[in-house]
Amino acid sequence: MSDSKDELRAVQAALGAEHAAVYGFGVVGGRIGEGRRAEARTAYDAHRARRDELQRAVRDLGGEPEPSAAAYALPFAVPDPAAAVRLATEIEERVAGVYSDLVRASTGARRRNAADALREAAVRAARWRGGSVTFPGLAERAAGSATPRD
């Protein structure tokens, strides 16, 4: 198992991913079609809650939580609902990847919470994508071939 410095780094990385997810879902919410707006809001709220939980975890490990950036670079332009769905999928896949690292670096309750967060992100990604991947959170996963729904 890893030492506390590795765990703190993994918690900080997860916190950074959640900061970016909160920002990204703000963009998604502004571009998503009406039919999926509630789903985007639920994801936004879930990421805010995880972010707050991770800030406490960093403090519990003796660290100072990394602050959120004023803005984050998006992986592509988001001009319409279809792009918003692709962004939501990408955000959830990235978050799942970071949580897989935290599962590996932690133990006990923090590990269980990280596994729960990984599972939740993978389920949300599958919903946004319209299908699942074999091993969510792993860098080796194949890109989904399903076309995202609006």
PDB file of all heavy atoms in Angstrom, residues 59-88:
ATOM      1  N   ARG A  59      -7.459  18.276   4.231  1.00  0.00           N
ATOM      2  CA  ARG A  59      -7.151  18.835   5.561  1.00  0.00           C
ATOM      3  C   ARG A  59      -6.903  17.720   6.580  1.00  0.00           C
ATOM      4  O   ARG A  59      -6.000  17.810   7.396  1.00  0.00           O
ATOM      5  CB  ARG A  59      -8.276  19.745   6.025  1.00  0.00           C
ATOM      6  CG  ARG A  59      -8.316  21.064   5.292  1.00  0.00           C
ATOM      7  CD  ARG A  59      -9.360  22.029   5.883  1.00  0.00           C
ATOM      8  NE  ARG A  59      -9.544  23.147   5.003  1.00  0.00           N
ATOM      9  CZ  ARG A  59     -10.513  23.255   4.095  1.00  0.00           C
ATOM     10  NH1 ARG A  59     -11.427  22.317   3.971  1.00  0.00           N
ATOM     11  NH2 ARG A  59     -10.593  24.310   3.305  1.00  0.00           N
ATOM     12  N   ASP A  60      -7.718  16.654   6.507  1.00  0.00           N
ATOM     13  CA  ASP A  60      -7.539  15.512   7.419  1.00  0.00           C
ATOM     14  C   ASP A  60      -6.166  14.877   7.248  1.00  0.00           C
ATOM     15  O   ASP A  60      -5.614  14.324   8.202  1.00  0.00           O
ATOM     16  CB  ASP A  60      -8.613  14.447   7.192  1.00  0.00           C
ATOM     17  CG  ASP A  60      -9.996  14.885   7.641  1.00  0.00           C
ATOM     18  OD1 ASP A  60     -10.107  15.910   8.361  1.00  0.00           O
ATOM     19  OD2 ASP A  60     -10.964  14.202   7.253  1.00  0.00           O
ATOM     20  N   LEU A  61      -5.613  14.941   6.049  1.00  0.00           N
ATOM     21  CA  LEU A  61      -4.288  14.375   5.779  1.00  0.00           C
ATOM     22  C   LEU A  61      -3.172  15.387   6.040  1.00  0.00           C
ATOM     23  O   LEU A  61      -2.011  15.107   5.755  1.00  0.00           O
ATOM     24  CB  LEU A  61      -4.220  13.888   4.330  1.00  0.00           C
ATOM     25  CG  LEU A  61      -5.040  12.638   4.026  1.00  0.00           C
ATOM     26  CD1 LEU A  61      -5.161  12.416   2.520  1.00  0.00           C
ATOM     27  CD2 LEU A  61      -4.421  11.422   4.705  1.00  0.00           C
ATOM     28  N   GLY A  62      -3.528  16.549   6.574  1.00  0.00           N
ATOM     29  CA  GLY A  62      -2.520  17.547   6.926  1.00  0.00           C
ATOM     30  C   GLY A  62      -2.135  18.476   5.792  1.00  0.00           C
ATOM     31  O   GLY A  62      -1.149  19.204   5.902  1.00  0.00           O
ATOM     32  N   GLY A  63      -2.887  18.485   4.716  1.00  0.00           N
ATOM     33  CA  GLY A  63      -2.568  19.340   3.577  1.00  0.00           C
ATOM     34  C   GLY A  63      -3.458  20.557   3.506  1.00  0.00           C
ATOM     35  O   GLY A  63      -4.398  20.718   4.286  1.00  0.00           O
ATOM     36  N   GLU A  64      -3.156  21.403   2.563  1.00  0.00           N
ATOM     37  CA  GLU A  64      -3.961  22.581   2.264  1.00  0.00           C
ATOM     38  C   GLU A  64      -4.620  22.332   0.911  1.00  0.00           C
ATOM     39  O   GLU A  64      -3.927  22.111  -0.075  1.00  0.00           O
ATOM     40  CB  GLU A  64      -3.080  23.828   2.208  1.00  0.00           C
ATOM     41  CG  GLU A  64      -3.823  25.113   1.978  1.00  0.00           C
ATOM     42  CD  GLU A  64      -4.826  25.449   3.074  1.00  0.00           C
ATOM     43  OE1 GLU A  64      -4.590  25.121   4.249  1.00  0.00           O
ATOM     44  OE2 GLU A  64      -5.878  26.043   2.734  1.00  0.00           O
ATOM     45  N   PRO A  65      -5.955  22.332   0.859  1.00  0.00           N
ATOM     46  CA  PRO A  65      -6.635  22.035  -0.405  1.00  0.00           C
ATOM     47  C   PRO A  65      -6.244  23.002  -1.518  1.00  0.00           C
ATOM     48  O   PRO A  65      -6.179  24.207  -1.308  1.00  0.00           O
ATOM     49  CB  PRO A  65      -8.115  22.189  -0.065  1.00  0.00           C
ATOM     50  CG  PRO A  65      -8.192  22.063   1.415  1.00  0.00           C
ATOM     51  CD  PRO A  65      -6.897  22.597   1.950  1.00  0.00           C
ATOM     52  N   GLU A  66      -5.962  22.430  -2.687  1.00  0.00           N
ATOM     53  CA  GLU A  66      -5.677  23.252  -3.854  1.00  0.00           C
ATOM     54  C   GLU A  66      -6.937  24.033  -4.210  1.00  0.00           C
ATOM     55  O   GLU A  66      -8.025  23.462  -4.250  1.00  0.00           O
ATOM     56  CB  GLU A  66      -5.276  22.369  -5.038  1.00  0.00           C
ATOM     57  CG  GLU A  66      -3.948  21.660  -4.871  1.00  0.00           C
ATOM     58  CD  GLU A  66      -2.764  22.612  -4.854  1.00  0.00           C
ATOM     59  OE1 GLU A  66      -2.795  23.642  -5.563  1.00  0.00           O
ATOM     60  OE2 GLU A  66      -1.812  22.328  -4.110  1.00  0.00           O
ATOM     61  N   PRO A  67      -6.798  25.323  -4.462  1.00  0.00           N
ATOM     62  CA  PRO A  67      -7.984  26.111  -4.826  1.00  0.00           C
ATOM     63  C   PRO A  67      -8.402  25.843  -6.266  1.00  0.00           C
ATOM     64  O   PRO A  67      -7.603  25.363  -7.080  1.00  0.00           O
ATOM     65  CB  PRO A  67      -7.502  27.551  -4.659  1.00  0.00           C
ATOM     66  CG  PRO A  67      -6.030  27.483  -4.885  1.00  0.00           C
ATOM     67  CD  PRO A  67      -5.597  26.142  -4.365  1.00  0.00           C
ATOM     68  N   SER A  68      -9.611  26.186  -6.566  1.00  0.00           N
ATOM     69  CA  SER A  68     -10.122  26.086  -7.922  1.00  0.00           C
ATOM     70  C   SER A  68      -9.498  27.177  -8.781  1.00  0.00           C
ATOM     71  O   SER A  68      -9.232  28.278  -8.299  1.00  0.00           O
ATOM     72  CB  SER A  68     -11.639  26.256  -7.889  1.00  0.00           C
ATOM     73  OG  SER A  68     -12.167  26.250  -9.186  1.00  0.00           O
ATOM     74  N   ALA A  69      -9.281  26.870 -10.038  1.00  0.00           N
ATOM     75  CA  ALA A  69      -8.822  27.886 -10.987  1.00  0.00           C
ATOM     76  C   ALA A  69     -10.015  28.769 -11.360  1.00  0.00           C
ATOM     77  O   ALA A  69     -11.170  28.368 -11.207  1.00  0.00           O
ATOM     78  CB  ALA A  69      -8.244  27.223 -12.232  1.00  0.00           C
ATOM     79  N   ALA A  70      -9.723  29.954 -11.843  1.00  0.00           N
ATOM     80  CA  ALA A  70     -10.793  30.853 -12.280  1.00  0.00           C
ATOM     81  C   ALA A  70     -11.522  30.288 -13.500  1.00  0.00           C
ATOM     82  O   ALA A  70     -12.716  30.495 -13.673  1.00  0.00           O
ATOM     83  CB  ALA A  70     -10.228  32.226 -12.599  1.00  0.00           C
ATOM     84  N   ALA A  71     -10.784  29.561 -14.338  1.00  0.00           N
ATOM     85  CA  ALA A  71     -11.356  28.944 -15.538  1.00  0.00           C
ATOM     86  C   ALA A  71     -10.502  27.734 -15.905  1.00  0.00           C
ATOM     87  O   ALA A  71      -9.358  27.620 -15.475  1.00  0.00           O
ATOM     88  CB  ALA A  71     -11.381  29.934 -16.691  1.00  0.00           C
ATOM     89  N   TYR A  72     -11.071  26.853 -16.694  1.00  0.00           N
ATOM     90  CA  TYR A  72     -10.377  25.651 -17.149  1.00  0.00           C
ATOM     91  C   TYR A  72     -10.491  25.569 -18.668  1.00  0.00           C
ATOM     92  O   TYR A  72     -11.519  25.924 -19.237  1.00  0.00           O
ATOM     93  CB  TYR A  72     -10.991  24.398 -16.513  1.00  0.00           C
ATOM     94  CG  TYR A  72     -10.732  24.315 -15.031  1.00  0.00           C
ATOM     95  CD1 TYR A  72     -11.551  24.963 -14.118  1.00  0.00           C
ATOM     96  CD2 TYR A  72      -9.641  23.606 -14.547  1.00  0.00           C
ATOM     97  CE1 TYR A  72     -11.297  24.915 -12.761  1.00  0.00           C
ATOM     98  CE2 TYR A  72      -9.380  23.544 -13.188  1.00  0.00           C
ATOM     99  CZ  TYR A  72     -10.213  24.203 -12.300  1.00  0.00           C
ATOM    100  OH  TYR A  72      -9.950  24.150 -10.952  1.00  0.00           O
ATOM    101  N   ALA A  73      -9.418  25.097 -19.297  1.00  0.00           N
ATOM    102  CA  ALA A  73      -9.444  24.899 -20.747  1.00  0.00           C
ATOM    103  C   ALA A  73     -10.312  23.691 -21.054  1.00  0.00           C
ATOM    104  O   ALA A  73     -10.129  22.622 -20.471  1.00  0.00           O
ATOM    105  CB  ALA A  73      -8.034  24.685 -21.278  1.00  0.00           C
ATOM    106  N   LEU A  74     -11.251  23.862 -21.938  1.00  0.00           N
ATOM    107  CA  LEU A  74     -12.105  22.754 -22.354  1.00  0.00           C
ATOM    108  C   LEU A  74     -11.387  21.963 -23.446  1.00  0.00           C
ATOM    109  O   LEU A  74     -10.614  22.540 -24.217  1.00  0.00           O
ATOM    110  CB  LEU A  74     -13.445  23.284 -22.863  1.00  0.00           C
ATOM    111  CG  LEU A  74     -14.270  24.069 -21.840  1.00  0.00           C
ATOM    112  CD1 LEU A  74     -15.521  24.626 -22.491  1.00  0.00           C
ATOM    113  CD2 LEU A  74     -14.618  23.196 -20.646  1.00  0.00           C
ATOM    114  N   PRO A  75     -11.640  20.660 -23.534  1.00  0.00           N
ATOM    115  CA  PRO A  75     -10.938  19.848 -24.528  1.00  0.00           C
ATOM    116  C   PRO A  75     -11.374  20.121 -25.961  1.00  0.00           C
ATOM    117  O   PRO A  75     -10.685  19.739 -26.906  1.00  0.00           O
ATOM    118  CB  PRO A  75     -11.270  18.414 -24.115  1.00  0.00           C
ATOM    119  CG  PRO A  75     -12.522  18.509 -23.316  1.00  0.00           C
ATOM    120  CD  PRO A  75     -12.489  19.856 -22.656  1.00  0.00           C
ATOM    121  N   PHE A  76     -12.511  20.790 -26.126  1.00  0.00           N
ATOM    122  CA  PHE A  76     -13.033  21.151 -27.445  1.00  0.00           C
ATOM    123  C   PHE A  76     -14.115  22.208 -27.253  1.00  0.00           C
ATOM    124  O   PHE A  76     -14.596  22.419 -26.145  1.00  0.00           O
ATOM    125  CB  PHE A  76     -13.589  19.925 -28.191  1.00  0.00           C
ATOM    126  CG  PHE A  76     -14.510  19.065 -27.361  1.00  0.00           C
ATOM    127  CD1 PHE A  76     -15.855  19.399 -27.198  1.00  0.00           C
ATOM    128  CD2 PHE A  76     -14.031  17.927 -26.718  1.00  0.00           C
ATOM    129  CE1 PHE A  76     -16.689  18.612 -26.423  1.00  0.00           C
ATOM    130  CE2 PHE A  76     -14.862  17.134 -25.939  1.00  0.00           C
ATOM    131  CZ  PHE A  76     -16.193  17.476 -25.795  1.00  0.00           C
ATOM    132  N   ALA A  77     -14.471  22.857 -28.350  1.00  0.00           N
ATOM    133  CA  ALA A  77     -15.525  23.879 -28.298  1.00  0.00           C
ATOM    134  C   ALA A  77     -16.871  23.216 -27.998  1.00  0.00           C
ATOM    135  O   ALA A  77     -17.108  22.073 -28.388  1.00  0.00           O
ATOM    136  CB  ALA A  77     -15.591  24.623 -29.627  1.00  0.00           C
ATOM    137  N   VAL A  78     -17.720  23.934 -27.275  1.00  0.00           N
ATOM    138  CA  VAL A  78     -19.035  23.410 -26.891  1.00  0.00           C
ATOM    139  C   VAL A  78     -20.114  24.389 -27.375  1.00  0.00           C
ATOM    140  O   VAL A  78     -20.686  25.130 -26.583  1.00  0.00           O
ATOM    141  CB  VAL A  78     -19.114  23.180 -25.362  1.00  0.00           C
ATOM    142  CG1 VAL A  78     -20.420  22.498 -24.986  1.00  0.00           C
ATOM    143  CG2 VAL A  78     -17.921  22.372 -24.865  1.00  0.00           C
ATOM    144  N   PRO A  79     -20.398  24.362 -28.678  1.00  0.00           N
ATOM    145  CA  PRO A  79     -21.356  25.320 -29.223  1.00  0.00           C
ATOM    146  C   PRO A  79     -22.816  24.885 -29.186  1.00  0.00           C
ATOM    147  O   PRO A  79     -23.694  25.697 -29.432  1.00  0.00           O
ATOM    148  CB  PRO A  79     -20.895  25.451 -30.687  1.00  0.00           C
ATOM    149  CG  PRO A  79     -20.373  24.080 -31.005  1.00  0.00           C
ATOM    150  CD  PRO A  79     -19.710  23.615 -29.729  1.00  0.00           C
ATOM    151  N   ASP A  80     -23.061  23.588 -28.882  1.00  0.00           N
ATOM    152  CA  ASP A  80     -24.425  23.087 -29.013  1.00  0.00           C
ATOM    153  C   ASP A  80     -24.674  21.915 -28.063  1.00  0.00           C
ATOM    154  O   ASP A  80     -23.747  21.448 -27.390  1.00  0.00           O
ATOM    155  CB  ASP A  80     -24.692  22.672 -30.464  1.00  0.00           C
ATOM    156  CG  ASP A  80     -23.691  21.640 -30.979  1.00  0.00           C
ATOM    157  OD1 ASP A  80     -23.188  20.814 -30.194  1.00  0.00           O
ATOM    158  OD2 ASP A  80     -23.409  21.666 -32.198  1.00  0.00           O
ATOM    159  N   PRO A  81     -25.902  21.435 -27.983  1.00  0.00           N
ATOM    160  CA  PRO A  81     -26.225  20.326 -27.073  1.00  0.00           C
ATOM    161  C   PRO A  81     -25.433  19.044 -27.325  1.00  0.00           C
ATOM    162  O   PRO A  81     -25.048  18.362 -26.378  1.00  0.00           O
ATOM    163  CB  PRO A  81     -27.725  20.102 -27.301  1.00  0.00           C
ATOM    164  CG  PRO A  81     -28.241  21.436 -27.709  1.00  0.00           C
ATOM    165  CD  PRO A  81     -27.138  22.010 -28.568  1.00  0.00           C
ATOM    166  N   ALA A  82     -25.161  18.714 -28.585  1.00  0.00           N
ATOM    167  CA  ALA A  82     -24.397  17.492 -28.874  1.00  0.00           C
ATOM    168  C   ALA A  82     -22.982  17.592 -28.300  1.00  0.00           C
ATOM    169  O   ALA A  82     -22.459  16.630 -27.713  1.00  0.00           O
ATOM    170  CB  ALA A  82     -24.358  17.225 -30.380  1.00  0.00           C
ATOM    171  N   ALA A  83     -22.360  18.741 -28.448  1.00  0.00           N
ATOM    172  CA  ALA A  83     -21.024  18.944 -27.887  1.00  0.00           C
ATOM    173  C   ALA A  83     -21.078  18.941 -26.359  1.00  0.00           C
ATOM    174  O   ALA A  83     -20.157  18.459 -25.694  1.00  0.00           O
ATOM    175  CB  ALA A  83     -20.424  20.254 -28.403  1.00  0.00           C
ATOM    176  N   ALA A  84     -22.155  19.464 -25.786  1.00  0.00           N
ATOM    177  CA  ALA A  84     -22.310  19.451 -24.331  1.00  0.00           C
ATOM    178  C   ALA A  84     -22.385  18.016 -23.818  1.00  0.00           C
ATOM    179  O   ALA A  84     -21.801  17.696 -22.766  1.00  0.00           O
ATOM    180  CB  ALA A  84     -23.555  20.237 -23.916  1.00  0.00           C
ATOM    181  N   VAL A  85     -23.055  17.145 -24.541  1.00  0.00           N
ATOM    182  CA  VAL A  85     -23.126  15.729 -24.151  1.00  0.00           C
ATOM    183  C   VAL A  85     -21.734  15.099 -24.231  1.00  0.00           C
ATOM    184  O   VAL A  85     -21.330  14.363 -23.326  1.00  0.00           O
ATOM    185  CB  VAL A  85     -24.141  14.964 -25.035  1.00  0.00           C
ATOM    186  CG1 VAL A  85     -24.030  13.455 -24.832  1.00  0.00           C
ATOM    187  CG2 VAL A  85     -25.559  15.437 -24.729  1.00  0.00           C
ATOM    188  N   ARG A  86     -20.995  15.399 -25.282  1.00  0.00           N
ATOM    189  CA  ARG A  86     -19.620  14.872 -25.404  1.00  0.00           C
ATOM    190  C   ARG A  86     -18.752  15.378 -24.259  1.00  0.00           C
ATOM    191  O   ARG A  86     -17.955  14.624 -23.695  1.00  0.00           O
ATOM    192  CB  ARG A  86     -19.010  15.248 -26.748  1.00  0.00           C
ATOM    193  CG  ARG A  86     -19.567  14.455 -27.910  1.00  0.00           C
ATOM    194  CD  ARG A  86     -18.758  14.602 -29.193  1.00  0.00           C
ATOM    195  NE  ARG A  86     -18.469  15.977 -29.581  1.00  0.00           N
ATOM    196  CZ  ARG A  86     -19.297  16.754 -30.275  1.00  0.00           C
ATOM    197  NH1 ARG A  86     -20.476  16.302 -30.656  1.00  0.00           N
ATOM    198  NH2 ARG A  86     -18.940  17.988 -30.582  1.00  0.00           N
ATOM    199  N   LEU A  87     -18.904  16.656 -23.896  1.00  0.00           N
ATOM    200  CA  LEU A  87     -18.124  17.203 -22.791  1.00  0.00           C
ATOM    201  C   LEU A  87     -18.493  16.524 -21.478  1.00  0.00           C
ATOM    202  O   LEU A  87     -17.609  16.162 -20.695  1.00  0.00           O
ATOM    203  CB  LEU A  87     -18.321  18.720 -22.674  1.00  0.00           C
ATOM    204  CG  LEU A  87     -17.560  19.395 -21.521  1.00  0.00           C
ATOM    205  CD1 LEU A  87     -16.051  19.165 -21.649  1.00  0.00           C
ATOM    206  CD2 LEU A  87     -17.882  20.879 -21.473  1.00  0.00           C
ATOM    207  N   ALA A  88     -19.767  16.336 -21.229  1.00  0.00           N
ATOM    208  CA  ALA A  88     -20.192  15.660 -19.999  1.00  0.00           C
ATOM    209  C   ALA A  88     -19.583  14.260 -19.914  1.00  0.00           C
ATOM    210  O   ALA A  88     -19.092  13.845 -18.854  1.00  0.00           O
ATOM    211  CB  ALA A  88     -21.719  15.593 -19.936  1.00  0.00           C
TER     212      ALA A  88
END
